[in-house]
């Protein structure tokens, strides 16, 4: 992956040192103007994990500048903070911006899998699934191993009442993350990697200073790019392994890196938690995922659908 400046493209990944925050905000605003957002509404979705850890939340000034810059360009902009109810007030105070309530969102019904691999209907927020600008901070954890733009968008879009269905088991959570790519249509993704939380975040995580901002339109491309600079591989992340194997999309690996090439930050290789060990470890987990794809009647048409989208 070579670093160079290039014209706008879905699989371009723009990289900025955090000291160039205003330049990143300007580029993000340009994205939205080119998308024609000035004639429509835009929802900024900021993901804040629970329990609240200061370095786990996207930077306050970054979110505020993005919000006000979009408003300045005449874009009807709204802020939604995706987090648990117990820390919502803390997060709202942190950003100091007017926010919208999820109770006002339209509900969309999605087809995912339950813990047995059978079809299950879950509720999601239509406005978060589509036409939203996602702002997240990357972390490692004991379920997904790495949670970047894709996982945070998925968790933000799902109705809290149905998170239990999504996490039917660790294996199913990875399969469902792949299946969710059928429904996710973000306007843009901004990964605030000033800090990366390492370990079983947020409970047992520790922050590592990195100092970069990543901007793109493609969940998988941006997550794979970040992983490479963190010293991790796609094969260590089950849901990314599923996506790249099934979709077979080499552009994920060949996305153009525009701007400054980040310095590598070697985070400690994540060890699966006791929960994963209980399921038999990574090899057993991946074999169970294959069983889900082989036995679930829902998977084949969704795989075909997602493959056809990514082939365009």
């Amino acid at each position: 992956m070579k670093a160079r400046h290039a014209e706008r493209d879905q699989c371009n990944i723009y990289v900025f040192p955090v000291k160039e925050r205003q330049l990143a905000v300007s580029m993000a605003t340009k994205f939205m103007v080119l998308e024609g957002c000035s004639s429509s509404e835009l929802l900024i979705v900021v993901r804040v994990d629970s329990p609240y850890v200061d370095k786990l939340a996207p930077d306050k000034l970054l979110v505020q500048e993005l919000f006000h810059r979009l408003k300045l360009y005449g874009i009807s902009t709204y802020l939604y903070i995706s987090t648990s109810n117990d820390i919502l007030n803390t997060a709202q105070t942190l950003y100091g911006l007017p926010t919208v309530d999820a109770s006002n969102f339209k509900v969309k019904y999605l087809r995912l899998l339950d813990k047995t691999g059978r079809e299950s209907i879950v509720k999601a927020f239509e406005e978060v699934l589509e036409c939203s600008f996602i702002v997240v901070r990357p972390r490692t954890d004991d379920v997904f191993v790495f949670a970047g733009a894709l996982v945070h968008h998925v968790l933000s879009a799902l109705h809290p009442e149905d998170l239990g269905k999504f996490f039917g088991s660790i294996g199913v959570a990875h399969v469902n993350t792949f299946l969710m790519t059928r429904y996710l249509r973000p306007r843009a993704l901004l990964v605030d990697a000033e800090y990366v939380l390492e370990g079983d975040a947020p409970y047992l995580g520790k922050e590592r200073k990195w100092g970069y901002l990543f901007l793109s339109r493609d969940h998988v491309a941006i997550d794979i790019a970040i992983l490479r600079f963190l010293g991790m591989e796609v094969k260590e992340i089950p849901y990314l392994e599923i996506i790249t194997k099934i979709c077979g999309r080499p552009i994920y690996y060949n996305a153009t890196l525009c701007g400054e090439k980040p310095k590598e930050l070697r985070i400690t290789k994540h060890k699966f938690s006791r929960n994963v060990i209980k399921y038999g470890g990574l090899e057993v987990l991946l074999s169970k995922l294959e069983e889900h794809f082989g036995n679930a009647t829902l998977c084949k048409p969704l795989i075909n659908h997602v493959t056809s989208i990514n082939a365009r």
Side-chain angles (χ1 to χ4, degrees), residues 111-120 122 165-168 172 175-176 179 292-293 296-299 302:
R111 298 162 59 210
L112 300 179
L113 303 183
D114 65 14
K115 63 182 179 182
T116 67
R118 295 174 180 168
E119 181 176 327
S120 179
V122 302
K165 292 181 182 179
F166 179 84
F167 289 107
V172 166
V175 176
N176 280 338
L179 296 178
H292 283 306
F293 282 114
T297 56
L298 176 64
C299 283
L302 286 185

PDB file of all heavy atoms in Angstrom, residues 111-120 122 165-168 172 175-176 179 292-293 296-299 302:
ATOM      1  N   ARG A 111     -32.638  -9.379   8.528  1.00  0.00           N
ATOM      2  CA  ARG A 111     -32.545 -10.836   8.679  1.00  0.00           C
ATOM      3  C   ARG A 111     -31.114 -11.215   9.013  1.00  0.00           C
ATOM      4  O   ARG A 111     -30.213 -11.085   8.195  1.00  0.00           O
ATOM      5  CB  ARG A 111     -32.986 -11.505   7.379  1.00  0.00           C
ATOM      6  CG  ARG A 111     -34.432 -11.233   6.999  1.00  0.00           C
ATOM      7  CD  ARG A 111     -34.689 -11.533   5.545  1.00  0.00           C
ATOM      8  NE  ARG A 111     -34.393 -12.925   5.230  1.00  0.00           N
ATOM      9  CZ  ARG A 111     -33.979 -13.337   4.035  1.00  0.00           C
ATOM     10  NH1 ARG A 111     -33.770 -12.458   3.076  1.00  0.00           N
ATOM     11  NH2 ARG A 111     -33.757 -14.617   3.808  1.00  0.00           N
ATOM     12  N   LEU A 112     -30.916 -11.703  10.247  1.00  0.00           N
ATOM     13  CA  LEU A 112     -29.612 -12.185  10.681  1.00  0.00           C
ATOM     14  C   LEU A 112     -29.763 -13.623  11.182  1.00  0.00           C
ATOM     15  O   LEU A 112     -30.765 -14.274  10.915  1.00  0.00           O
ATOM     16  CB  LEU A 112     -29.049 -11.273  11.772  1.00  0.00           C
ATOM     17  CG  LEU A 112     -28.834  -9.800  11.392  1.00  0.00           C
ATOM     18  CD1 LEU A 112     -28.291  -9.018  12.579  1.00  0.00           C
ATOM     19  CD2 LEU A 112     -27.895  -9.667  10.196  1.00  0.00           C
ATOM     20  N   LEU A 113     -28.774 -14.114  11.911  1.00  0.00           N
ATOM     21  CA  LEU A 113     -28.817 -15.469  12.444  1.00  0.00           C
ATOM     22  C   LEU A 113     -28.958 -15.451  13.961  1.00  0.00           C
ATOM     23  O   LEU A 113     -28.460 -14.543  14.630  1.00  0.00           O
ATOM     24  CB  LEU A 113     -27.543 -16.233  12.084  1.00  0.00           C
ATOM     25  CG  LEU A 113     -27.181 -16.371  10.603  1.00  0.00           C
ATOM     26  CD1 LEU A 113     -25.925 -17.223  10.463  1.00  0.00           C
ATOM     27  CD2 LEU A 113     -28.330 -16.967   9.817  1.00  0.00           C
ATOM     28  N   ASP A 114     -29.606 -16.486  14.494  1.00  0.00           N
ATOM     29  CA  ASP A 114     -29.598 -16.663  15.943  1.00  0.00           C
ATOM     30  C   ASP A 114     -28.448 -17.609  16.297  1.00  0.00           C
ATOM     31  O   ASP A 114     -27.672 -18.020  15.431  1.00  0.00           O
ATOM     32  CB  ASP A 114     -30.949 -17.165  16.447  1.00  0.00           C
ATOM     33  CG  ASP A 114     -31.293 -18.567  15.951  1.00  0.00           C
ATOM     34  OD1 ASP A 114     -30.394 -19.278  15.435  1.00  0.00           O
ATOM     35  OD2 ASP A 114     -32.472 -18.964  16.065  1.00  0.00           O
ATOM     36  N   LYS A 115     -28.344 -17.969  17.570  1.00  0.00           N
ATOM     37  CA  LYS A 115     -27.193 -18.760  18.002  1.00  0.00           C
ATOM     38  C   LYS A 115     -27.162 -20.167  17.419  1.00  0.00           C
ATOM     39  O   LYS A 115     -26.122 -20.835  17.444  1.00  0.00           O
ATOM     40  CB  LYS A 115     -27.150 -18.832  19.530  1.00  0.00           C
ATOM     41  CG  LYS A 115     -28.348 -19.526  20.171  1.00  0.00           C
ATOM     42  CD  LYS A 115     -28.218 -19.501  21.687  1.00  0.00           C
ATOM     43  CE  LYS A 115     -29.416 -20.159  22.358  1.00  0.00           C
ATOM     44  NZ  LYS A 115     -29.307 -20.096  23.826  1.00  0.00           N
ATOM     45  N   THR A 116     -28.283 -20.623  16.858  1.00  0.00           N
ATOM     46  CA  THR A 116     -28.318 -21.953  16.232  1.00  0.00           C
ATOM     47  C   THR A 116     -28.041 -21.884  14.735  1.00  0.00           C
ATOM     48  O   THR A 116     -28.000 -22.917  14.068  1.00  0.00           O
ATOM     49  CB  THR A 116     -29.694 -22.615  16.449  1.00  0.00           C
ATOM     50  OG1 THR A 116     -30.694 -21.878  15.720  1.00  0.00           O
ATOM     51  CG2 THR A 116     -30.064 -22.650  17.918  1.00  0.00           C
ATOM     52  N   GLY A 117     -27.874 -20.674  14.199  1.00  0.00           N
ATOM     53  CA  GLY A 117     -27.646 -20.527  12.772  1.00  0.00           C
ATOM     54  C   GLY A 117     -28.912 -20.371  11.972  1.00  0.00           C
ATOM     55  O   GLY A 117     -28.876 -20.350  10.735  1.00  0.00           O
ATOM     56  N   ARG A 118     -30.047 -20.257  12.649  1.00  0.00           N
ATOM     57  CA  ARG A 118     -31.313 -20.078  11.946  1.00  0.00           C
ATOM     58  C   ARG A 118     -31.637 -18.598  11.789  1.00  0.00           C
ATOM     59  O   ARG A 118     -31.121 -17.750  12.511  1.00  0.00           O
ATOM     60  CB  ARG A 118     -32.438 -20.772  12.718  1.00  0.00           C
ATOM     61  CG  ARG A 118     -32.279 -22.290  12.769  1.00  0.00           C
ATOM     62  CD  ARG A 118     -33.322 -22.919  13.663  1.00  0.00           C
ATOM     63  NE  ARG A 118     -33.164 -24.371  13.722  1.00  0.00           N
ATOM     64  CZ  ARG A 118     -33.781 -25.154  14.594  1.00  0.00           C
ATOM     65  NH1 ARG A 118     -34.604 -24.626  15.479  1.00  0.00           N
ATOM     66  NH2 ARG A 118     -33.580 -26.460  14.569  1.00  0.00           N
ATOM     67  N   GLU A 119     -32.540 -18.332  10.852  1.00  0.00           N
ATOM     68  CA  GLU A 119     -32.902 -16.945  10.590  1.00  0.00           C
ATOM     69  C   GLU A 119     -33.571 -16.299  11.797  1.00  0.00           C
ATOM     70  O   GLU A 119     -34.397 -16.908  12.471  1.00  0.00           O
ATOM     71  CB  GLU A 119     -33.853 -16.870   9.390  1.00  0.00           C
ATOM     72  CG  GLU A 119     -34.260 -15.462   9.035  1.00  0.00           C
ATOM     73  CD  GLU A 119     -35.124 -15.401   7.795  1.00  0.00           C
ATOM     74  OE1 GLU A 119     -34.917 -16.242   6.889  1.00  0.00           O
ATOM     75  OE2 GLU A 119     -36.002 -14.524   7.721  1.00  0.00           O
ATOM     76  N   SER A 120     -33.162 -15.069  12.059  1.00  0.00           N
ATOM     77  CA  SER A 120     -33.732 -14.301  13.158  1.00  0.00           C
ATOM     78  C   SER A 120     -33.945 -12.862  12.677  1.00  0.00           C
ATOM     79  O   SER A 120     -33.113 -12.320  11.956  1.00  0.00           O
ATOM     80  CB  SER A 120     -32.795 -14.315  14.363  1.00  0.00           C
ATOM     81  OG  SER A 120     -33.324 -13.554  15.432  1.00  0.00           O
ATOM     82  N   VAL A 122     -34.153  -8.940  13.453  1.00  0.00           N
ATOM     83  CA  VAL A 122     -33.717  -7.963  14.447  1.00  0.00           C
ATOM     84  C   VAL A 122     -34.090  -6.567  13.968  1.00  0.00           C
ATOM     85  O   VAL A 122     -34.273  -6.327  12.768  1.00  0.00           O
ATOM     86  CB  VAL A 122     -32.205  -8.038  14.702  1.00  0.00           C
ATOM     87  CG1 VAL A 122     -31.804  -9.419  15.174  1.00  0.00           C
ATOM     88  CG2 VAL A 122     -31.413  -7.650  13.458  1.00  0.00           C
ATOM     89  N   LYS A 165     -29.686 -10.893  20.463  1.00  0.00           N
ATOM     90  CA  LYS A 165     -29.827 -11.797  19.317  1.00  0.00           C
ATOM     91  C   LYS A 165     -28.567 -11.760  18.455  1.00  0.00           C
ATOM     92  O   LYS A 165     -28.085 -12.787  17.981  1.00  0.00           O
ATOM     93  CB  LYS A 165     -31.034 -11.396  18.471  1.00  0.00           C
ATOM     94  CG  LYS A 165     -32.384 -11.597  19.141  1.00  0.00           C
ATOM     95  CD  LYS A 165     -33.501 -11.198  18.187  1.00  0.00           C
ATOM     96  CE  LYS A 165     -34.860 -11.345  18.837  1.00  0.00           C
ATOM     97  NZ  LYS A 165     -35.956 -10.929  17.904  1.00  0.00           N
ATOM     98  N   PHE A 166     -28.048 -10.555  18.245  1.00  0.00           N
ATOM     99  CA  PHE A 166     -26.846 -10.404  17.423  1.00  0.00           C
ATOM    100  C   PHE A 166     -25.676 -11.169  18.026  1.00  0.00           C
ATOM    101  O   PHE A 166     -24.888 -11.790  17.316  1.00  0.00           O
ATOM    102  CB  PHE A 166     -26.509  -8.922  17.310  1.00  0.00           C
ATOM    103  CG  PHE A 166     -25.273  -8.635  16.505  1.00  0.00           C
ATOM    104  CD1 PHE A 166     -25.340  -8.552  15.126  1.00  0.00           C
ATOM    105  CD2 PHE A 166     -24.050  -8.444  17.127  1.00  0.00           C
ATOM    106  CE1 PHE A 166     -24.201  -8.287  14.372  1.00  0.00           C
ATOM    107  CE2 PHE A 166     -22.911  -8.181  16.391  1.00  0.00           C
ATOM    108  CZ  PHE A 166     -22.985  -8.109  15.006  1.00  0.00           C
ATOM    109  N   PHE A 167     -25.562 -11.124  19.356  1.00  0.00           N
ATOM    110  CA  PHE A 167     -24.478 -11.809  20.059  1.00  0.00           C
ATOM    111  C   PHE A 167     -24.918 -13.178  20.553  1.00  0.00           C
ATOM    112  O   PHE A 167     -24.549 -13.585  21.654  1.00  0.00           O
ATOM    113  CB  PHE A 167     -24.011 -10.971  21.259  1.00  0.00           C
ATOM    114  CG  PHE A 167     -23.258  -9.740  20.886  1.00  0.00           C
ATOM    115  CD1 PHE A 167     -23.832  -8.485  21.015  1.00  0.00           C
ATOM    116  CD2 PHE A 167     -21.970  -9.815  20.404  1.00  0.00           C
ATOM    117  CE1 PHE A 167     -23.131  -7.337  20.682  1.00  0.00           C
ATOM    118  CE2 PHE A 167     -21.257  -8.670  20.065  1.00  0.00           C
ATOM    119  CZ  PHE A 167     -21.835  -7.428  20.211  1.00  0.00           C
ATOM    120  N   GLY A 168     -25.684 -13.916  19.739  1.00  0.00           N
ATOM    121  CA  GLY A 168     -26.152 -15.239  20.162  1.00  0.00           C
ATOM    122  C   GLY A 168     -25.017 -16.119  20.640  1.00  0.00           C
ATOM    123  O   GLY A 168     -25.151 -16.899  21.579  1.00  0.00           O
ATOM    124  N   VAL A 172     -21.489 -16.522  16.003  1.00  0.00           N
ATOM    125  CA  VAL A 172     -22.618 -15.895  15.316  1.00  0.00           C
ATOM    126  C   VAL A 172     -22.413 -14.384  15.213  1.00  0.00           C
ATOM    127  O   VAL A 172     -22.789 -13.766  14.200  1.00  0.00           O
ATOM    128  CB  VAL A 172     -23.936 -16.227  16.042  1.00  0.00           C
ATOM    129  CG1 VAL A 172     -25.068 -15.325  15.565  1.00  0.00           C
ATOM    130  CG2 VAL A 172     -24.313 -17.679  15.802  1.00  0.00           C
ATOM    131  N   VAL A 175     -20.358 -13.847  12.165  1.00  0.00           N
ATOM    132  CA  VAL A 175     -21.145 -14.087  10.953  1.00  0.00           C
ATOM    133  C   VAL A 175     -22.118 -12.935  10.724  1.00  0.00           C
ATOM    134  O   VAL A 175     -22.259 -12.424   9.599  1.00  0.00           O
ATOM    135  CB  VAL A 175     -21.917 -15.421  11.042  1.00  0.00           C
ATOM    136  CG1 VAL A 175     -22.818 -15.597   9.814  1.00  0.00           C
ATOM    137  CG2 VAL A 175     -20.956 -16.593  11.148  1.00  0.00           C
ATOM    138  N   ASN A 176     -22.800 -12.515  11.780  1.00  0.00           N
ATOM    139  CA  ASN A 176     -23.771 -11.426  11.649  1.00  0.00           C
ATOM    140  C   ASN A 176     -23.113 -10.107  11.251  1.00  0.00           C
ATOM    141  O   ASN A 176     -23.722  -9.287  10.569  1.00  0.00           O
ATOM    142  CB  ASN A 176     -24.549 -11.259  12.954  1.00  0.00           C
ATOM    143  CG  ASN A 176     -25.658 -12.283  13.104  1.00  0.00           C
ATOM    144  OD1 ASN A 176     -26.130 -12.847  12.110  1.00  0.00           O
ATOM    145  ND2 ASN A 176     -26.083 -12.538  14.327  1.00  0.00           N
ATOM    146  N   LEU A 179     -22.986 -10.337   7.636  1.00  0.00           N
ATOM    147  CA  LEU A 179     -24.314 -10.190   7.049  1.00  0.00           C
ATOM    148  C   LEU A 179     -24.796  -8.742   7.100  1.00  0.00           C
ATOM    149  O   LEU A 179     -25.541  -8.291   6.225  1.00  0.00           O
ATOM    150  CB  LEU A 179     -25.311 -11.099   7.769  1.00  0.00           C
ATOM    151  CG  LEU A 179     -25.048 -12.610   7.651  1.00  0.00           C
ATOM    152  CD1 LEU A 179     -26.071 -13.397   8.456  1.00  0.00           C
ATOM    153  CD2 LEU A 179     -25.069 -13.056   6.198  1.00  0.00           C
ATOM    154  N   HIS A 292     -22.090 -22.697  10.103  1.00  0.00           N
ATOM    155  CA  HIS A 292     -23.225 -21.770   9.987  1.00  0.00           C
ATOM    156  C   HIS A 292     -23.509 -21.445   8.525  1.00  0.00           C
ATOM    157  O   HIS A 292     -24.649 -21.430   8.082  1.00  0.00           O
ATOM    158  CB  HIS A 292     -22.945 -20.472  10.754  1.00  0.00           C
ATOM    159  CG  HIS A 292     -23.105 -20.603  12.235  1.00  0.00           C
ATOM    160  ND1 HIS A 292     -24.256 -21.088  12.812  1.00  0.00           N
ATOM    161  CD2 HIS A 292     -22.267 -20.309  13.262  1.00  0.00           C
ATOM    162  CE1 HIS A 292     -24.117 -21.086  14.127  1.00  0.00           C
ATOM    163  NE2 HIS A 292     -22.923 -20.612  14.422  1.00  0.00           N
ATOM    164  N   PHE A 293     -22.437 -21.204   7.761  1.00  0.00           N
ATOM    165  CA  PHE A 293     -22.632 -20.866   6.352  1.00  0.00           C
ATOM    166  C   PHE A 293     -23.141 -22.070   5.565  1.00  0.00           C
ATOM    167  O   PHE A 293     -23.884 -21.931   4.602  1.00  0.00           O
ATOM    168  CB  PHE A 293     -21.334 -20.337   5.738  1.00  0.00           C
ATOM    169  CG  PHE A 293     -21.036 -18.917   6.105  1.00  0.00           C
ATOM    170  CD1 PHE A 293     -19.940 -18.591   6.880  1.00  0.00           C
ATOM    171  CD2 PHE A 293     -21.866 -17.895   5.678  1.00  0.00           C
ATOM    172  CE1 PHE A 293     -19.674 -17.276   7.224  1.00  0.00           C
ATOM    173  CE2 PHE A 293     -21.604 -16.573   6.019  1.00  0.00           C
ATOM    174  CZ  PHE A 293     -20.506 -16.270   6.790  1.00  0.00           C
ATOM    175  N   ALA A 296     -27.107 -22.797   7.274  1.00  0.00           N
ATOM    176  CA  ALA A 296     -28.147 -21.774   7.399  1.00  0.00           C
ATOM    177  C   ALA A 296     -28.698 -21.401   6.021  1.00  0.00           C
ATOM    178  O   ALA A 296     -27.957 -21.009   5.134  1.00  0.00           O
ATOM    179  CB  ALA A 296     -27.589 -20.534   8.094  1.00  0.00           C
ATOM    180  N   THR A 297     -29.987 -21.536   5.851  1.00  0.00           N
ATOM    181  CA  THR A 297     -30.613 -21.205   4.565  1.00  0.00           C
ATOM    182  C   THR A 297     -30.515 -19.712   4.272  1.00  0.00           C
ATOM    183  O   THR A 297     -30.588 -19.303   3.128  1.00  0.00           O
ATOM    184  CB  THR A 297     -32.105 -21.603   4.576  1.00  0.00           C
ATOM    185  OG1 THR A 297     -32.751 -20.945   5.686  1.00  0.00           O
ATOM    186  CG2 THR A 297     -32.253 -23.094   4.731  1.00  0.00           C
ATOM    187  N   LEU A 298     -30.326 -18.911   5.309  1.00  0.00           N
ATOM    188  CA  LEU A 298     -30.246 -17.460   5.119  1.00  0.00           C
ATOM    189  C   LEU A 298     -28.942 -17.043   4.471  1.00  0.00           C
ATOM    190  O   LEU A 298     -28.886 -16.077   3.727  1.00  0.00           O
ATOM    191  CB  LEU A 298     -30.385 -16.762   6.480  1.00  0.00           C
ATOM    192  CG  LEU A 298     -30.227 -15.238   6.507  1.00  0.00           C
ATOM    193  CD1 LEU A 298     -31.323 -14.576   5.702  1.00  0.00           C
ATOM    194  CD2 LEU A 298     -30.242 -14.733   7.934  1.00  0.00           C
ATOM    195  N   CYS A 299     -27.865 -17.787   4.720  1.00  0.00           N
ATOM    196  CA  CYS A 299     -26.538 -17.311   4.343  1.00  0.00           C
ATOM    197  C   CYS A 299     -26.303 -17.250   2.841  1.00  0.00           C
ATOM    198  O   CYS A 299     -25.755 -16.284   2.333  1.00  0.00           O
ATOM    199  CB  CYS A 299     -25.466 -18.186   4.994  1.00  0.00           C
ATOM    200  SG  CYS A 299     -25.212 -17.819   6.739  1.00  0.00           S
ATOM    201  N   LEU A 302     -27.694 -14.217   0.965  1.00  0.00           N
ATOM    202  CA  LEU A 302     -27.043 -13.001   1.435  1.00  0.00           C
ATOM    203  C   LEU A 302     -25.610 -12.924   0.937  1.00  0.00           C
ATOM    204  O   LEU A 302     -25.123 -11.864   0.569  1.00  0.00           O
ATOM    205  CB  LEU A 302     -27.077 -12.929   2.966  1.00  0.00           C
ATOM    206  CG  LEU A 302     -28.427 -12.579   3.593  1.00  0.00           C
ATOM    207  CD1 LEU A 302     -28.282 -12.436   5.096  1.00  0.00           C
ATOM    208  CD2 LEU A 302     -28.993 -11.305   3.015  1.00  0.00           C
TER     209      LEU A 302
END
